[in-house]
Short mmCIF file of all heavy atoms in Angstrom, two decimals:
data_model
loop_
_atom_site.label_atom_id
_atom_site.label_comp_id
_atom_site.label_asym_id
_atom_site.label_seq_id
_atom_site.Cartn_x
_atom_site.Cartn_y
_atom_site.Cartn_z
N MET W 1 0.84 -1.17 0.00
CA MET W 1 0.00 0.00 0.00
C MET W 1 0.90 1.25 0.00
O MET W 1 1.81 1.39 0.80
CB MET W 1 -0.88 0.00 1.25
CG MET W 1 -1.79 1.15 1.31
SD MET W 1 -2.88 0.95 2.73
CE MET W 1 -3.26 2.62 3.02
N ASN W 2 0.62 2.16 -0.90
CA ASN W 2 1.38 3.40 -0.99
C ASN W 2 0.76 4.46 -0.09
O ASN W 2 -0.46 4.65 -0.08
CB ASN W 2 1.40 3.91 -2.42
CG ASN W 2 2.18 3.01 -3.33
OD1 ASN W 2 3.00 2.26 -2.89
ND2 ASN W 2 1.91 3.12 -4.61
N LEU W 3 1.60 5.15 0.64
CA LEU W 3 1.11 6.24 1.47
C LEU W 3 0.90 7.51 0.66
O LEU W 3 -0.05 8.24 0.87
CB LEU W 3 2.09 6.51 2.61
CG LEU W 3 2.27 5.38 3.62
CD1 LEU W 3 3.32 5.77 4.65
CD2 LEU W 3 0.97 5.05 4.29
N PHE W 4 1.81 7.75 -0.28
CA PHE W 4 1.72 8.93 -1.14
C PHE W 4 1.39 8.50 -2.56
O PHE W 4 1.88 7.48 -3.04
CB PHE W 4 3.07 9.68 -1.18
CG PHE W 4 3.42 10.32 0.11
CD1 PHE W 4 4.31 9.71 0.98
CD2 PHE W 4 2.88 11.54 0.47
CE1 PHE W 4 4.64 10.30 2.18
CE2 PHE W 4 3.21 12.14 1.66
CZ PHE W 4 4.09 11.52 2.52
N HIS W 5 0.56 9.26 -3.25
CA HIS W 5 0.35 9.07 -4.68
C HIS W 5 -0.01 10.41 -5.31
O HIS W 5 -0.40 11.35 -4.64
CB HIS W 5 -0.68 7.98 -4.98
CG HIS W 5 -2.08 8.30 -4.58
ND1 HIS W 5 -2.53 8.19 -3.29
CD2 HIS W 5 -3.13 8.75 -5.31
CE1 HIS W 5 -3.81 8.54 -3.24
NE2 HIS W 5 -4.20 8.88 -4.45
N ILE W 6 0.16 10.47 -6.62
CA ILE W 6 -0.06 11.70 -7.38
C ILE W 6 -1.18 11.46 -8.38
O ILE W 6 -1.22 10.43 -9.04
CB ILE W 6 1.24 12.13 -8.09
CG1 ILE W 6 2.30 12.46 -7.04
CG2 ILE W 6 0.99 13.31 -9.00
CD1 ILE W 6 3.64 12.74 -7.60
N LYS W 7 -2.09 12.41 -8.46
CA LYS W 7 -3.27 12.27 -9.30
C LYS W 7 -3.42 13.50 -10.19
O LYS W 7 -3.14 14.62 -9.77
CB LYS W 7 -4.49 12.14 -8.40
CG LYS W 7 -5.66 11.43 -8.97
CD LYS W 7 -6.70 11.31 -7.87
CE LYS W 7 -7.72 10.28 -8.23
NZ LYS W 7 -8.74 10.17 -7.20
N ARG W 8 -3.89 13.30 -11.41
CA ARG W 8 -4.12 14.39 -12.36
C ARG W 8 -5.62 14.49 -12.59
O ARG W 8 -6.29 13.51 -12.88
CB ARG W 8 -3.40 14.08 -13.67
CG ARG W 8 -3.56 15.17 -14.70
CD ARG W 8 -2.78 14.85 -15.93
NE ARG W 8 -1.37 14.88 -15.61
CZ ARG W 8 -0.44 14.19 -16.27
NH1 ARG W 8 -0.78 13.41 -17.26
NH2 ARG W 8 0.82 14.28 -15.92
N LYS W 9 -6.16 15.71 -12.47
CA LYS W 9 -7.59 15.94 -12.64
C LYS W 9 -7.80 17.16 -13.52
O LYS W 9 -7.15 18.18 -13.34
CB LYS W 9 -8.24 16.16 -11.27
CG LYS W 9 -9.74 16.28 -11.32
CD LYS W 9 -10.31 16.40 -9.94
CE LYS W 9 -11.81 16.51 -10.01
NZ LYS W 9 -12.40 16.64 -8.69
N THR W 10 -8.74 17.08 -14.46
CA THR W 10 -9.04 18.17 -15.38
C THR W 10 -10.46 18.66 -15.13
O THR W 10 -11.38 17.87 -14.99
CB THR W 10 -8.90 17.70 -16.84
OG1 THR W 10 -7.59 17.19 -17.04
CG2 THR W 10 -9.14 18.83 -17.80
N LYS W 11 -10.60 20.00 -15.06
CA LYS W 11 -11.93 20.58 -14.95
C LYS W 11 -11.99 21.87 -15.75
O LYS W 11 -10.97 22.47 -16.09
CB LYS W 11 -12.31 20.82 -13.49
CG LYS W 11 -11.50 21.83 -12.76
CD LYS W 11 -12.01 21.94 -11.33
CE LYS W 11 -11.32 23.05 -10.59
NZ LYS W 11 -11.87 23.22 -9.25
N THR W 12 -13.19 22.33 -16.07
CA THR W 12 -13.40 23.51 -16.89
C THR W 12 -13.50 24.74 -15.99
O THR W 12 -14.21 24.73 -14.99
CB THR W 12 -14.68 23.36 -17.72
OG1 THR W 12 -14.60 22.16 -18.47
CG2 THR W 12 -14.85 24.51 -18.68
N GLU W 13 -12.77 25.81 -16.37
CA GLU W 13 -12.80 27.06 -15.61
C GLU W 13 -12.88 28.25 -16.55
O GLU W 13 -12.47 28.17 -17.71
CB GLU W 13 -11.52 27.21 -14.78
CG GLU W 13 -11.41 26.27 -13.62
CD GLU W 13 -10.21 26.56 -12.76
OE1 GLU W 13 -9.46 27.51 -13.08
OE2 GLU W 13 -10.02 25.84 -11.78
N SER W 14 -13.40 29.35 -16.04
CA SER W 14 -13.40 30.61 -16.77
C SER W 14 -12.15 31.37 -16.38
O SER W 14 -11.86 31.54 -15.20
CB SER W 14 -14.62 31.44 -16.43
OG SER W 14 -15.78 30.79 -16.85
N ILE W 15 -11.40 31.83 -17.38
CA ILE W 15 -10.13 32.52 -17.16
C ILE W 15 -10.16 33.85 -17.88
O ILE W 15 -10.69 33.96 -18.99
CB ILE W 15 -8.96 31.65 -17.66
CG1 ILE W 15 -8.82 30.44 -16.76
CG2 ILE W 15 -7.68 32.43 -17.73
CD1 ILE W 15 -7.71 29.53 -17.12
N TYR W 16 -9.60 34.87 -17.25
CA TYR W 16 -9.48 36.17 -17.88
C TYR W 16 -8.04 36.36 -18.33
O TYR W 16 -7.11 36.33 -17.53
CB TYR W 16 -9.86 37.29 -16.91
CG TYR W 16 -9.64 38.66 -17.49
CD1 TYR W 16 -10.51 39.17 -18.42
CD2 TYR W 16 -8.53 39.40 -17.14
CE1 TYR W 16 -10.30 40.41 -18.98
CE2 TYR W 16 -8.31 40.65 -17.69
CZ TYR W 16 -9.20 41.14 -18.61
OH TYR W 16 -8.98 42.36 -19.17
N ALA W 17 -7.84 36.52 -19.62
CA ALA W 17 -6.53 36.83 -20.19
C ALA W 17 -6.58 38.27 -20.71
O ALA W 17 -7.55 38.66 -21.37
CB ALA W 17 -6.20 35.87 -21.32
N PRO W 18 -5.58 39.08 -20.43
CA PRO W 18 -5.62 40.48 -20.85
C PRO W 18 -5.72 40.65 -22.37
O PRO W 18 -6.37 41.58 -22.85
CB PRO W 18 -4.32 41.06 -20.34
CG PRO W 18 -3.88 40.13 -19.27
CD PRO W 18 -4.42 38.79 -19.61
N ASN W 19 -5.13 39.77 -23.12
CA ASN W 19 -5.16 39.90 -24.58
C ASN W 19 -6.47 39.43 -25.20
O ASN W 19 -6.93 40.00 -26.19
CB ASN W 19 -4.01 39.11 -25.21
CG ASN W 19 -2.66 39.65 -24.83
OD1 ASN W 19 -2.57 40.81 -24.42
ND2 ASN W 19 -1.63 38.85 -24.94
N MET W 20 -7.08 38.38 -24.65
CA MET W 20 -8.27 37.77 -25.26
C MET W 20 -9.56 38.03 -24.50
O MET W 20 -10.63 37.75 -25.01
CB MET W 20 -8.06 36.26 -25.41
CG MET W 20 -6.94 35.90 -26.34
SD MET W 20 -6.74 34.13 -26.50
CE MET W 20 -8.23 33.69 -27.36
N GLY W 21 -9.48 38.50 -23.26
CA GLY W 21 -10.67 38.68 -22.45
C GLY W 21 -11.02 37.40 -21.71
O GLY W 21 -10.16 36.61 -21.37
N VAL W 22 -12.31 37.18 -21.47
CA VAL W 22 -12.77 36.00 -20.73
C VAL W 22 -12.87 34.82 -21.68
O VAL W 22 -13.44 34.91 -22.76
CB VAL W 22 -14.15 36.28 -20.10
CG1 VAL W 22 -14.64 35.05 -19.36
CG2 VAL W 22 -14.07 37.46 -19.17
N LEU W 23 -12.30 33.68 -21.26
CA LEU W 23 -12.42 32.47 -22.06
C LEU W 23 -12.59 31.28 -21.14
O LEU W 23 -12.16 31.29 -20.00
CB LEU W 23 -11.21 32.28 -22.97
CG LEU W 23 -9.84 32.18 -22.34
CD1 LEU W 23 -9.28 30.79 -22.55
CD2 LEU W 23 -8.93 33.19 -22.99
N THR W 24 -13.27 30.26 -21.63
CA THR W 24 -13.49 29.03 -20.89
C THR W 24 -12.52 27.99 -21.40
O THR W 24 -12.46 27.72 -22.60
CB THR W 24 -14.94 28.54 -21.07
OG1 THR W 24 -15.81 29.58 -20.66
CG2 THR W 24 -15.19 27.31 -20.24
N THR W 25 -11.75 27.39 -20.50
CA THR W 25 -10.73 26.44 -20.90
C THR W 25 -10.65 25.31 -19.88
O THR W 25 -11.18 25.43 -18.77
CB THR W 25 -9.36 27.13 -21.03
OG1 THR W 25 -8.41 26.20 -21.52
CG2 THR W 25 -8.90 27.70 -19.72
N GLN W 26 -10.00 24.22 -20.26
CA GLN W 26 -9.80 23.10 -19.36
C GLN W 26 -8.48 23.27 -18.63
O GLN W 26 -7.44 23.45 -19.25
CB GLN W 26 -9.81 21.79 -20.12
CG GLN W 26 -11.16 21.44 -20.68
CD GLN W 26 -11.18 20.07 -21.31
OE1 GLN W 26 -10.14 19.48 -21.57
NE2 GLN W 26 -12.37 19.57 -21.55
N VAL W 27 -8.54 23.21 -17.31
CA VAL W 27 -7.36 23.37 -16.47
C VAL W 27 -7.06 22.03 -15.82
O VAL W 27 -7.95 21.37 -15.29
CB VAL W 27 -7.59 24.45 -15.38
CG1 VAL W 27 -6.38 24.59 -14.49
CG2 VAL W 27 -7.91 25.78 -16.04
N THR W 28 -5.80 21.60 -15.87
CA THR W 28 -5.38 20.33 -15.30
C THR W 28 -4.58 20.59 -14.03
O THR W 28 -3.65 21.38 -14.04
CB THR W 28 -4.52 19.55 -16.31
OG1 THR W 28 -5.27 19.36 -17.51
CG2 THR W 28 -4.13 18.19 -15.75
N TYR W 29 -4.98 19.93 -12.96
CA TYR W 29 -4.31 20.03 -11.67
C TYR W 29 -3.57 18.72 -11.40
O TYR W 29 -4.13 17.64 -11.56
CB TYR W 29 -5.31 20.24 -10.54
CG TYR W 29 -6.02 21.56 -10.57
CD1 TYR W 29 -7.22 21.72 -11.25
CD2 TYR W 29 -5.49 22.65 -9.92
CE1 TYR W 29 -7.88 22.92 -11.27
CE2 TYR W 29 -6.14 23.87 -9.93
CZ TYR W 29 -7.33 23.99 -10.60
OH TYR W 29 -7.98 25.20 -10.62
N ILE W 30 -2.31 18.81 -10.98
CA ILE W 30 -1.55 17.65 -10.52
C ILE W 30 -1.42 17.80 -9.02
O ILE W 30 -0.79 18.73 -8.53
CB ILE W 30 -0.18 17.57 -11.21
CG1 ILE W 30 -0.37 17.46 -12.72
CG2 ILE W 30 0.62 16.40 -10.67
CD1 ILE W 30 0.91 17.50 -13.50
N THR W 31 -2.04 16.87 -8.27
CA THR W 31 -2.15 16.99 -6.83
C THR W 31 -1.46 15.81 -6.15
O THR W 31 -1.56 14.68 -6.60
CB THR W 31 -3.63 17.02 -6.41
OG1 THR W 31 -4.31 18.00 -7.18
CG2 THR W 31 -3.79 17.34 -4.94
N LYS W 32 -0.80 16.10 -5.04
CA LYS W 32 -0.15 15.07 -4.23
C LYS W 32 -1.09 14.68 -3.10
O LYS W 32 -1.64 15.54 -2.41
CB LYS W 32 1.16 15.61 -3.67
CG LYS W 32 1.97 14.60 -2.92
CD LYS W 32 3.30 15.22 -2.50
CE LYS W 32 4.19 14.23 -1.84
NZ LYS W 32 5.48 14.85 -1.46
N TYR W 33 -1.31 13.37 -2.89
CA TYR W 33 -2.22 12.85 -1.88
C TYR W 33 -1.46 12.02 -0.85
O TYR W 33 -0.48 11.35 -1.17
CB TYR W 33 -3.27 11.93 -2.52
CG TYR W 33 -4.30 12.65 -3.34
CD1 TYR W 33 -4.08 12.96 -4.66
CD2 TYR W 33 -5.51 13.01 -2.77
CE1 TYR W 33 -5.03 13.61 -5.41
CE2 TYR W 33 -6.47 13.67 -3.51
CZ TYR W 33 -6.23 13.97 -4.83
OH TYR W 33 -7.17 14.61 -5.57
N PHE W 34 -1.91 12.08 0.39
CA PHE W 34 -1.41 11.23 1.48
C PHE W 34 -2.60 10.51 2.07
O PHE W 34 -3.49 11.13 2.64
CB PHE W 34 -0.70 12.07 2.54
CG PHE W 34 -0.26 11.28 3.73
CD1 PHE W 34 0.79 10.40 3.62
CD2 PHE W 34 -0.89 11.40 4.95
CE1 PHE W 34 1.21 9.66 4.71
CE2 PHE W 34 -0.50 10.67 6.04
CZ PHE W 34 0.56 9.80 5.92
N LEU W 35 -2.64 9.20 1.90
CA LEU W 35 -3.77 8.37 2.35
C LEU W 35 -5.11 8.90 1.83
O LEU W 35 -6.07 9.07 2.57
CB LEU W 35 -3.79 8.27 3.87
CG LEU W 35 -2.62 7.56 4.53
CD1 LEU W 35 -2.74 7.63 6.04
CD2 LEU W 35 -2.56 6.11 4.08
N LYS W 36 -5.15 9.21 0.54
CA LYS W 36 -6.34 9.71 -0.17
C LYS W 36 -6.83 11.07 0.33
O LYS W 36 -7.97 11.45 0.09
CB LYS W 36 -7.47 8.68 -0.13
CG LYS W 36 -7.11 7.39 -0.81
CD LYS W 36 -8.27 6.45 -0.90
CE LYS W 36 -7.86 5.18 -1.61
NZ LYS W 36 -8.98 4.27 -1.76
N ILE W 37 -5.96 11.81 1.00
CA ILE W 37 -6.27 13.18 1.43
C ILE W 37 -5.35 14.11 0.65
O ILE W 37 -4.13 13.94 0.69
CB ILE W 37 -6.04 13.35 2.94
CG1 ILE W 37 -6.94 12.39 3.72
CG2 ILE W 37 -6.30 14.80 3.37
CD1 ILE W 37 -6.65 12.34 5.19
N PRO W 38 -5.90 15.09 -0.09
CA PRO W 38 -5.03 15.98 -0.86
C PRO W 38 -4.17 16.86 0.04
O PRO W 38 -4.66 17.47 0.99
CB PRO W 38 -6.01 16.83 -1.68
CG PRO W 38 -7.31 16.71 -0.99
CD PRO W 38 -7.31 15.41 -0.25
N ILE W 39 -2.87 16.89 -0.28
CA ILE W 39 -1.93 17.69 0.50
C ILE W 39 -1.69 19.03 -0.17
O ILE W 39 -1.91 20.08 0.43
CB ILE W 39 -0.59 16.95 0.68
CG1 ILE W 39 -0.81 15.69 1.48
CG2 ILE W 39 0.42 17.84 1.38
CD1 ILE W 39 0.41 14.83 1.60
N LYS W 40 -1.23 19.01 -1.43
CA LYS W 40 -0.97 20.27 -2.12
C LYS W 40 -1.02 20.04 -3.63
O LYS W 40 -0.88 18.93 -4.11
CB LYS W 40 0.37 20.85 -1.72
CG LYS W 40 1.57 20.08 -2.21
CD LYS W 40 2.84 20.82 -1.86
CE LYS W 40 4.04 20.14 -2.45
NZ LYS W 40 5.25 20.89 -2.25
N VAL W 41 -1.21 21.13 -4.35
CA VAL W 41 -1.22 21.12 -5.81
C VAL W 41 0.22 21.33 -6.27
O VAL W 41 0.84 22.35 -5.95
CB VAL W 41 -2.14 22.22 -6.38
CG1 VAL W 41 -2.04 22.27 -7.88
CG2 VAL W 41 -3.57 21.98 -5.94
N LEU W 42 0.76 20.36 -6.99
CA LEU W 42 2.13 20.45 -7.46
C LEU W 42 2.26 21.35 -8.67
O LEU W 42 3.19 22.14 -8.77
CB LEU W 42 2.67 19.06 -7.79
CG LEU W 42 2.72 18.07 -6.63
CD1 LEU W 42 3.15 16.71 -7.13
CD2 LEU W 42 3.63 18.57 -5.55
N HIS W 43 1.30 21.24 -9.61
CA HIS W 43 1.37 22.02 -10.84
C HIS W 43 -0.04 22.22 -11.38
O HIS W 43 -0.91 21.38 -11.20
CB HIS W 43 2.24 21.29 -11.87
CG HIS W 43 2.57 22.11 -13.06
ND1 HIS W 43 3.37 23.22 -12.99
CD2 HIS W 43 2.22 21.98 -14.36
CE1 HIS W 43 3.49 23.75 -14.21
NE2 HIS W 43 2.80 23.00 -15.04
N LYS W 44 -0.25 23.36 -12.03
CA LYS W 44 -1.54 23.69 -12.63
C LYS W 44 -1.26 24.26 -14.01
O LYS W 44 -0.50 25.22 -14.13
CB LYS W 44 -2.26 24.69 -11.74
CG LYS W 44 -3.62 25.09 -12.21
CD LYS W 44 -4.36 25.87 -11.14
CE LYS W 44 -4.01 27.32 -11.19
NZ LYS W 44 -4.93 28.16 -10.41
N TYR W 45 -1.83 23.65 -15.06
CA TYR W 45 -1.60 24.15 -16.40
C TYR W 45 -2.88 24.04 -17.22
O TYR W 45 -3.82 23.39 -16.84
CB TYR W 45 -0.45 23.39 -17.08
CG TYR W 45 -0.67 21.91 -17.26
CD1 TYR W 45 -1.25 21.41 -18.43
CD2 TYR W 45 -0.29 20.99 -16.30
CE1 TYR W 45 -1.44 20.07 -18.61
CE2 TYR W 45 -0.46 19.65 -16.48
CZ TYR W 45 -1.04 19.19 -17.63
OH TYR W 45 -1.23 17.85 -17.81
N ARG W 46 -2.87 24.75 -18.36
CA ARG W 46 -4.05 24.77 -19.24
C ARG W 46 -3.61 24.66 -20.68
O ARG W 46 -2.46 24.90 -21.02
CB ARG W 46 -4.84 26.06 -19.03
CG ARG W 46 -4.08 27.30 -19.46
CD ARG W 46 -4.86 28.56 -19.14
NE ARG W 46 -4.08 29.74 -19.41
CZ ARG W 46 -4.09 30.40 -20.57
NH1 ARG W 46 -4.86 30.00 -21.55
NH2 ARG W 46 -3.35 31.47 -20.73
N GLU W 47 -4.56 24.28 -21.53
CA GLU W 47 -4.31 24.21 -22.96
C GLU W 47 -4.96 25.42 -23.61
O GLU W 47 -6.11 25.74 -23.34
CB GLU W 47 -4.90 22.92 -23.54
CG GLU W 47 -4.55 22.71 -24.99
CD GLU W 47 -5.02 21.38 -25.51
OE1 GLU W 47 -5.44 20.54 -24.71
OE2 GLU W 47 -4.97 21.19 -26.73
N THR W 48 -4.21 26.12 -24.47
CA THR W 48 -4.73 27.32 -25.11
C THR W 48 -5.61 26.96 -26.31
O THR W 48 -5.76 25.80 -26.67
CB THR W 48 -3.58 28.23 -25.59
OG1 THR W 48 -2.83 27.52 -26.57
CG2 THR W 48 -2.69 28.62 -24.44
N TYR W 49 -6.18 27.98 -26.90
CA TYR W 49 -7.04 27.81 -28.08
C TYR W 49 -6.25 27.19 -29.24
O TYR W 49 -6.80 26.46 -30.04
CB TYR W 49 -7.60 29.18 -28.47
CG TYR W 49 -8.51 29.14 -29.66
CD1 TYR W 49 -9.81 28.68 -29.55
CD2 TYR W 49 -8.07 29.58 -30.90
CE1 TYR W 49 -10.65 28.65 -30.64
CE2 TYR W 49 -8.90 29.56 -32.00
CZ TYR W 49 -10.19 29.10 -31.87
OH TYR W 49 -11.01 29.07 -32.95
N TYR W 50 -4.96 27.49 -29.32
CA TYR W 50 -4.13 27.00 -30.42
C TYR W 50 -3.44 25.68 -30.12
O TYR W 50 -2.65 25.20 -30.92
CB TYR W 50 -3.08 28.06 -30.77
CG TYR W 50 -3.70 29.36 -31.20
CD1 TYR W 50 -3.68 30.46 -30.35
CD2 TYR W 50 -4.35 29.48 -32.42
CE1 TYR W 50 -4.27 31.65 -30.72
CE2 TYR W 50 -4.94 30.67 -32.80
CZ TYR W 50 -4.89 31.75 -31.95
OH TYR W 50 -5.48 32.92 -32.31
N GLY W 51 -3.69 25.08 -28.95
CA GLY W 51 -3.13 23.79 -28.62
C GLY W 51 -1.85 23.84 -27.82
O GLY W 51 -1.27 22.81 -27.52
N GLU W 52 -1.38 25.03 -27.44
CA GLU W 52 -0.17 25.15 -26.63
C GLU W 52 -0.51 24.87 -25.17
O GLU W 52 -1.61 25.10 -24.72
CB GLU W 52 0.41 26.56 -26.75
CG GLU W 52 0.78 26.98 -28.13
CD GLU W 52 1.19 28.44 -28.19
OE1 GLU W 52 1.15 29.12 -27.14
OE2 GLU W 52 1.54 28.89 -29.28
N ILE W 53 0.48 24.38 -24.43
CA ILE W 53 0.32 24.15 -23.01
C ILE W 53 0.98 25.32 -22.27
O ILE W 53 2.13 25.63 -22.50
CB ILE W 53 0.98 22.83 -22.58
CG1 ILE W 53 0.38 21.65 -23.36
CG2 ILE W 53 0.86 22.61 -21.09
CD1 ILE W 53 -1.09 21.41 -23.09
N LYS W 54 0.20 25.98 -21.38
CA LYS W 54 0.72 27.13 -20.64
C LYS W 54 0.49 26.94 -19.15
O LYS W 54 -0.46 26.30 -18.73
CB LYS W 54 0.02 28.41 -21.07
CG LYS W 54 0.45 28.93 -22.39
CD LYS W 54 -0.08 30.33 -22.58
CE LYS W 54 0.52 30.97 -23.81
NZ LYS W 54 0.07 32.34 -23.97
N ASP W 55 1.36 27.54 -18.37
CA ASP W 55 1.22 27.55 -16.93
C ASP W 55 0.11 28.52 -16.54
O ASP W 55 -0.07 29.55 -17.18
CB ASP W 55 2.54 27.98 -16.30
CG ASP W 55 2.58 27.74 -14.81
OD1 ASP W 55 1.74 26.97 -14.31
OD2 ASP W 55 3.46 28.33 -14.17
N CYS W 56 -0.65 28.23 -15.52
CA CYS W 56 -1.76 29.09 -15.12
C CYS W 56 -1.32 30.33 -14.36
O CYS W 56 -2.14 31.17 -14.03
CB CYS W 56 -2.76 28.30 -14.29
SG CYS W 56 -3.84 27.31 -15.31
N GLU W 57 -0.05 30.48 -14.08
CA GLU W 57 0.44 31.70 -13.43
C GLU W 57 0.42 32.88 -14.39
O GLU W 57 0.48 34.02 -13.97
CB GLU W 57 1.87 31.49 -12.91
CG GLU W 57 1.98 30.38 -11.88
CD GLU W 57 1.17 30.66 -10.63
OE1 GLU W 57 1.12 31.83 -10.21
OE2 GLU W 57 0.59 29.72 -10.10
N ASP W 58 0.29 32.64 -15.71
CA ASP W 58 0.28 33.69 -16.70
C ASP W 58 -1.05 34.44 -16.75
O ASP W 58 -1.12 35.53 -17.30
CB ASP W 58 0.56 33.13 -18.11
CG ASP W 58 1.89 32.42 -18.17
OD1 ASP W 58 2.75 32.69 -17.31
OD2 ASP W 58 2.07 31.63 -19.11
N CYS W 59 -2.11 33.85 -16.20
CA CYS W 59 -3.44 34.46 -16.34
C CYS W 59 -4.07 34.69 -14.97
O CYS W 59 -3.65 34.14 -13.97
CB CYS W 59 -4.34 33.54 -17.16
SG CYS W 59 -4.51 31.91 -16.45
N ASN W 60 -5.09 35.52 -14.94
CA ASN W 60 -5.86 35.79 -13.72
C ASN W 60 -7.15 35.01 -13.79
O ASN W 60 -7.78 34.95 -14.84
CB ASN W 60 -6.18 37.27 -13.60
CG ASN W 60 -4.94 38.12 -13.57
OD1 ASN W 60 -3.95 37.72 -12.97
ND2 ASN W 60 -4.96 39.25 -14.23
N LEU W 61 -7.57 34.43 -12.67
CA LEU W 61 -8.85 33.72 -12.64
C LEU W 61 -9.98 34.72 -12.59
O LEU W 61 -9.96 35.66 -11.80
CB LEU W 61 -8.92 32.77 -11.45
CG LEU W 61 -7.98 31.59 -11.51
CD1 LEU W 61 -8.15 30.76 -10.25
CD2 LEU W 61 -8.23 30.74 -12.72
N PHE W 62 -10.96 34.54 -13.41
CA PHE W 62 -12.13 35.40 -13.46
C PHE W 62 -13.21 34.79 -12.59
O PHE W 62 -13.60 33.66 -12.77
CB PHE W 62 -12.61 35.53 -14.91
CG PHE W 62 -13.78 36.45 -15.06
CD1 PHE W 62 -13.61 37.81 -15.03
CD2 PHE W 62 -15.05 35.94 -15.22
CE1 PHE W 62 -14.68 38.66 -15.19
CE2 PHE W 62 -16.12 36.77 -15.36
CZ PHE W 62 -15.94 38.13 -15.34
N ILE W 63 -13.68 35.54 -11.63
CA ILE W 63 -14.69 35.00 -10.72
C ILE W 63 -16.01 35.67 -10.98
O ILE W 63 -16.13 36.82 -11.16
CB ILE W 63 -14.27 35.21 -9.25
CG1 ILE W 63 -12.98 34.45 -9.01
CG2 ILE W 63 -15.32 34.77 -8.30
CD1 ILE W 63 -12.37 34.68 -7.65
#
């Protein structure tokens, strides 16, 4: 039995980019778990309209 494991989950979010405005995109979270309890998010990235992979630190979340 592993105590630690890493899981990848994708969900849809609304993001505000200064160049394009508000857009809806799929954001992938890579999360570290300890005994099936999430500890922290290791990395968060999204796929752009043109198919590029970008880090989510480049954009602001639109609420």
Side-chain angles (χ1 to χ4, degrees):
M1 181 174 155
N2 293 339
L3 296 177
F4 292 99
H5 67 280
I6 296 174
K7 205 175 197 182
R8 181 177 294 154
K9 185 176 181 181
T10 303
K11 65 180 186 176
T12 305
E13 289 186 0
S14 296
I15 291 181
Y16 175 76
N19 295 340
M20 296 180 68
V22 179
L23 58 114
T24 303
T25 185
Q26 291 186 346
V27 178
T28 303
Y29 293 91
I30 300 175
T31 309
K32 185 176 184 180
Y33 288 86
F34 176 71
L35 295 176
K36 298 186 179 182
I37 300 171
I39 296 175
K40 69 175 186 174
V41 175
L42 299 175
H43 190 66
K44 182 169 85 166
Y45 61 91
R46 66 184 173 93
E47 186 175 350
T48 63
Y49 181 76
Y50 300 106
E52 301 173 359
I53 302 296
K54 285 192 171 183
D55 192 17
C56 280
E57 299 298 322
D58 302 339
C59 57
N60 301 322
L61 292 179
F62 182 77
I63 298 174

